[in-house]
Every structure is written in C-alpha cells, then in structure tokens.
Amino acid sequence: MFNSTLKQLSALLAQKKLSSAELTQSYLDRIAQRNPELNAFLTVDAEKSLAQARAADAQIAAGKAQPLTGIPVAHKDIFCAQGWLTTCGSKMLANFVSPYDAHVVEKLNAAGAVILGKTNMDEFAMGSSSETGFFGAVKNPWDPTRVAGGSSGGSAAAVAARIAPVAIGTDTGGSIRQPAALTGICGLKPTYGVVSRYGMIAFASSLDQGGPMAKSAEDLALMLNVMAGFDARDSTSLERPEEDYSRLLDVRLTGDRSKPLGGLRIGVPKEYFGAGLGADVGAAVEAALVQFEKLGAVRVSIALPNSGLSVPAYYVIAPAEASSNLSRFDGVRYGYRAAEYGDLTEMYRKTRAQGFGAEVKRRILIGTYVLSHGYYDAYYLKAQKIRRLIAQDFAQAFKQCDLILGPTTPGVAFGLGSMSSDPVQMYLLDIYTTAANLAGLPAMSIPCGFGEGGLPVGLQLAGDYFSEARMLQAAHQYQLATDWHLRQPAGME
Ligand code: GLN
C-alpha cells in the first residue's frame, strides 16, 4: 500500500476496500515509527487528520468522490492551514497557529484531501539542505548521515520514506526540485502565477511558487490539477482556463508504439555539463538522455549563455525581496516577542535578534544592503537586468527545442553539517535550478539513477511557459520505460 500510486489508492477507496480513516491511520503509525530518525514532520495531529478522513469517507459513501478525496497529503510548514501550527521552520513563528487557510490548502481541503501533517524545512525556506530550520535538520532516508536537500526537505524525505503518499512544497530557487533530486522522488515547480501564493509565507514574492512532490509524474499531474487555479487574493495569480495536467500523459507523439516521444526536441545546454558537474550525476543524466532518444526524442544542442550569472543574480534579488517580506515579523501582532525589553525599538531589535536564525539574518543584511541608496544601481538593478537576459536566453532556446534537459544538482546528497560553515558553497548548489525561477518558467526533477554512495540522482526538465502538461508527458513516458522512480531506500518497504 505504501508504494501505491494516487490512482491506486483512490481506486481502493472507491471500491471500499480501504477507508480514508484506515489509510490515514496507517500513515500516522508509520510516521510515529520512522519520523524520530528522519525529522521530516514537525507537526502531526491525529485527531484533526482523522476528522478530515472521516469526512472524506462520508463524501465517498455519498458518491461525491473527486480524484484526491481521502488521500493524505503532507504540507510543507510554509503553508498556512487553519488551526494548525505553521512555523515556517522558525523560532519566530514557533507558536503561530494559523487563523486561515492558504489558497492551495483551501483547494486541497475542498478536493477532499486529508492534511497528514506539516513538514520540516529550512528557516523561511532559505537553504538547500533543510539544516537551517529551528527544529533541527531533516535526514535523508537513503542515508541518515546525509541531508535531504532543501528547503522542502521534510516533504521530500516524507515521500521518499513512504511516510506520506504525496506532499506539497515551495520553490523559490530550487526548493522543490533539489530535495526531490536528493531523495529520489519527483517534484514540479509550475509556471510563475499558476499556483496562488496566498497563505504561502512569503520569501521572495517574484520567485516563490508552490508545487507538488510525489513518487511519479502521474501523481504530480493529479496534484497540480487541484493546486493550480486563479485566486484574486494573489495579485500575480494568472486567470487562465482550467487545464487537465494529466491529459497528455498517455498520448503518444507518433504511431510507432516504441517511440511515444517521437519528434520531441530535447535541448541540452552545454553550460549545464561543464566544470562543476559531478561525474556520477553527469553519467546518470547522459544515460537518461539516451533513454529519451530510444523513446523517439531528438537531442538538440543549445546554449544558455547567461546561466553562470543566475546564482549571483538570484542571491541579490531573493534576499532583497526577503528583507522586505520579513519586516512584518516585528513581535507586535503575532509570533515570537522577546521576553524583556525597554522601549519599542528595543522590543523590535531583541525580537528579531532572538527570533531569526543565522541564515535568515544573513539574507536580511544582504537584502537591505543591495537595496540601499548608493548600492541599488550596482547590485539590485544590475541583477534585474541579468534576470531579463536569462529569460531571453530561454526564449531563444525554445525556438530550437520543446523541452530542456539537464542535471537538477551538481552532486548527490552531501553529509549533514559538511557545508554549513560555507554559505557561498551552499549557494552554488543552486546553479541549475535558479534560472527557471528568475525566468518564471516551469521545471521539474525526476529520478534517473544513482551516484556516489548509492544515492539518487535527479534530472531536470524545463519547458516554456505553461508547458507543464508536455513536461509531465515526457516524464511519464520515461517512467513507463524505466523504474528509477520505483526504487526506494532500504528498510522502507
Ligand atoms: N536554495 C535556495 C535558497 O537558499 C532556494 C530556496 C528555495 O527555493 N526556497 O534561497
């Protein structure tokens, strides 16, 4: 059961072979057993989850089931959920019980899904290892001495360890794709504006996007069908006709059954295969390219000349926006407040000094610096110009290809603590993922093999705006022909 796809679980529920309450309880038991080692979940609330599960069972009994009715979903602790502790991995919000639901949470609840719990993450989603959070590091189910990636590391580890059937995360510079790659699961960052940011605690608003994390491309599509949609409360939410993201999954591009992806042009950027890419990751991604060719895809050499500038541009823009977004945490209305203080200014100062961790403070310092008078033109404005160039590179590339394929990360999961003292080294891990956020493009990671230490390797597929269904089709056809996505860590069966 713990390896079942969402479709299989949904069929078991529909045939009354299993109730949502039983399913939810089995996962809660499994969390109790495995989570102490992994630290993937921060909050579980059996009573709340089971109440939702019983309501889902009533819906099913009444013949009103939708595709996700009764399915337990792990929520990254950045999504506000009414009545649930929502900490964003920070001491600042360690006591914050949300009075309202994020749009995504509202939609999942309306679809009959069950909130299985809230998952661990880097503090305010700042990091690539899920080690910066106030509640301790997430451990990688493949090797608990390694990181699970970040910042949606708890959601990734939960799906990889099969203590959640599916999860949701957020991606500002790679936080869905990178942990998915490092834990051997699938993750999708949609086109900017497809998923509402309302109630998703803001990090860098022009980059943040919520998305699904799952065992397969097919499951991602089912989740995105529910998560996507216009919401007037997010001014950057896009008003578009409703789309079925699973509509192309089983559509073959040619009549030749052995070549379902016949004619699909896959762009391979030379910049993604140069210095800095681990040999193990490079080999696994190359093998995947050969597999895609077997399925009929055509390899096209492309160039993304400004891709080397995406990390520097990202680490100016993201902290700039973060420094503004995080100004709301002032100890006045909600969240942490210093116990002792003199006047108002001292209350602000002590609250923020005590409530934020080192990485968050570093970002606020960088952000306020690059936005300050005298430095704005040299840093922030220049970064925005680079952002435009990066988007233009992609526009050029998509004249030659339908999808872009490359590695998600330069290496496999690294040792816990091994990079914590070198933030710049950690930032460089985002080399292949940040460009999609800067350009607002959809991108996903799926498992494609194993590297050093027997650890999972992920490949990244990126597409033009609104090409999620096309990307999912390519990923699904690859997963019909391979079994990397079915592999799981030892001892998790
Ligand atoms: N690793 C990147 C950062 O630290 C991306 C994080 C994210 O996507 N939330 O900012």
Side-chain angles (χ1 to χ4, degrees):
M1 181 179 82
F2 296 112
N3 286 320
S4 306
T5 66
L6 295 186
K7 233 195 222 164
Q8 287 164 341
L9 288 179
S10 178
L12 289 175
L13 292 168
Q15 294 153 12
K16 316 260 166 50
K17 291 197 177 131
L18 183 70
S19 71
S20 174
E22 287 163 348
L23 179 65
T24 302
Q25 188 61 56
S26 317
Y27 274 104
L28 289 169
D29 293 346
R30 210 168 149 84
I31 292 169
Q33 207 185 338
R34 303 272 157 92
N35 197 56
E37 183 185 25
L38 299 171
N39 202 20
F41 278 91
L42 292 178
T43 305
V44 282
D45 186 329
E47 232 167 89
K48 269 205 199 63
S49 301
L50 290 169
Q52 263 192 312
R54 285 189 291 269
D57 284 329
Q59 290 283 312
I60 297 167
K64 291 190 195 143
Q66 303 167 58
L68 294 186
T69 304
I71 305 281
V73 178
H75 290 216
K76 183 180 184 179
D77 210 16
I78 197 168
F79 289 95
C80 287
Q82 193 180 353
W84 285 82
L85 198 57
T86 301
T87 71
C88 218
S90 183
K91 179 178 177 183
M92 191 57 97
L93 290 174
N95 64 358
F96 176 66
V97 176
S98 176
Y100 72 105
D101 282 331
H103 185 243
V104 168
V105 174
E106 221 171 69
K107 294 202 79 174
L108 284 164
N109 286 344
V114 171
I115 302 179
L116 183 58
K118 307 294 293 289
T119 60
N120 202 352
M121 53 183 285
D122 282 299
E123 185 177 7
F124 284 103
M126 298 173 187
S128 304
S129 64
S130 294
E131 294 174 293
T132 72
F134 181 61
F135 306 97
V138 179
K139 314 281 166 48
N140 192 316
W142 294 86
D143 174 352
T145 70
R146 309 266 184 147
V147 303
S151 63
S152 313
S155 285
V159 174
R162 310 297 193 248
I163 59 176
V166 69
I168 57 174
T170 61
D171 193 310
T172 304
S175 279
I176 286 176
R177 292 161 285 156
Q178 189 257 16
L182 269 40
T183 58
I185 66 155
C186 308
L188 170 73
K189 180 201 93 71
T191 304
Y192 182 78
V194 161
V195 169
S196 167
R197 291 180 294 103
Y198 178 77
M200 215 175 86
I201 297 171
F203 165 9
S205 310
S206 76
L207 302 159
D208 295 344
Q209 194 57 197
M213 304 175 79
K215 299 190 288 290
S216 66
E218 184 188 48
D219 285 1
L220 290 177
L222 289 177
M223 287 291 288
L224 189 58
N225 276 347
V226 173
M227 297 175 75
F230 176 67
D231 174 22
R233 296 165 302 185
D234 169 0
S235 62
T236 59
S237 170
L238 296 168
E239 213 165 347
R240 311 182 67 244
E242 204 175 301
E243 194 177 330
D244 175 7
Y245 292 99
S246 51
R247 71 186 185 279
L248 300 179
L249 291 178
D250 292 305
V251 174
R252 295 186 165 82
L253 297 178
T254 57
D256 179 351
R257 288 189 74 81
S258 69
K259 303 231 178 310
L261 299 179
L264 182 77
R265 297 168 304 163
I266 293 189
V268 182
K270 59 174 188 300
E271 293 82 2
Y272 285 18
F273 290 84
L277 177 64
D280 53 346
V281 174
V285 174
E286 173 56 34
L289 272 164
V290 171
Q291 179 64 50
F292 274 100
E293 285 177 316
K294 274 194 200 143
L295 296 172
V298 185
R299 194 192 293 232
V300 183
S301 227
I302 59 159
L304 295 172
N306 293 293
S307 53
L309 296 175
S310 63
V311 165
Y314 172 86
Y315 278 97
V316 168
I317 294 168
E321 295 185 18
S323 70
S324 167
N325 272 327
L326 270 58
S327 65
R328 74 192 61 174
F329 302 105
D330 57 6
V332 176
R333 289 152 297 179
Y334 50 83
Y336 180 76
R337 179 185 297 172
E340 286 169 32
Y341 49 87
D343 61 3
L344 181 65
T345 307
E346 200 192 359
M347 190 281 281
Y348 288 151
R349 210 184 309 128
K350 282 194 167 170
T351 293
R352 289 170 66 84
Q354 294 165 14
F356 290 135
E359 185 58 30
V360 173
K361 286 177 185 159
R362 188 177 296 127
R363 307 276 179 122
I364 294 174
L365 285 171
I366 297 170
T368 44
Y369 179 83
V370 301
L371 287 176
S372 58
H373 183 72
Y375 295 105
Y376 183 91
D377 288 4
Y379 294 102
Y380 185 72
L381 202 60
K382 184 162 273 171
Q384 292 290 18
K385 289 179 181 168
I386 293 171
R387 183 175 193 172
R388 174 66 61 89
L389 293 177
I390 287 168
Q392 284 170 356
D393 281 357
F394 281 110
Q396 246 354 80
F398 286 124
K399 287 182 186 157
Q400 293 163 262
C401 62
D402 305 304
L403 297 177
I404 294 176
L405 193 152
T408 307
T409 61
V412 295
F414 45 97
L416 286 158
S418 67
M419 274 193 213
S420 311
S421 59
D422 190 349
V424 174
Q425 195 58 28
M426 185 86 89
Y427 298 167
L428 287 171
L429 300 179
D430 302 332
I431 179 80
Y432 308 125
T433 49
T434 47
N437 303 77
L438 290 167
L441 293 166
M444 67 191 291
S445 181
I446 58 171
C448 69
F450 293 90
E452 179 250 312
L455 292 158
V457 174
L459 70 80
Q460 177 171 230
L461 281 173
D464 208 348
Y465 302 104
F466 311 117
S467 63
E468 284 86 352
R470 168 73 69 87
M471 286 162 46
L472 288 162
Q473 174 188 34
H476 178 65
Q477 291 298 327
Y478 173 78
Q479 293 184 332
L480 287 177
T482 58
D483 68 352
W484 302 115
H485 64 296
L486 302 176
R487 309 289 185 92
Q488 53 177 316
M492 295 293 163
E493 24 312 285

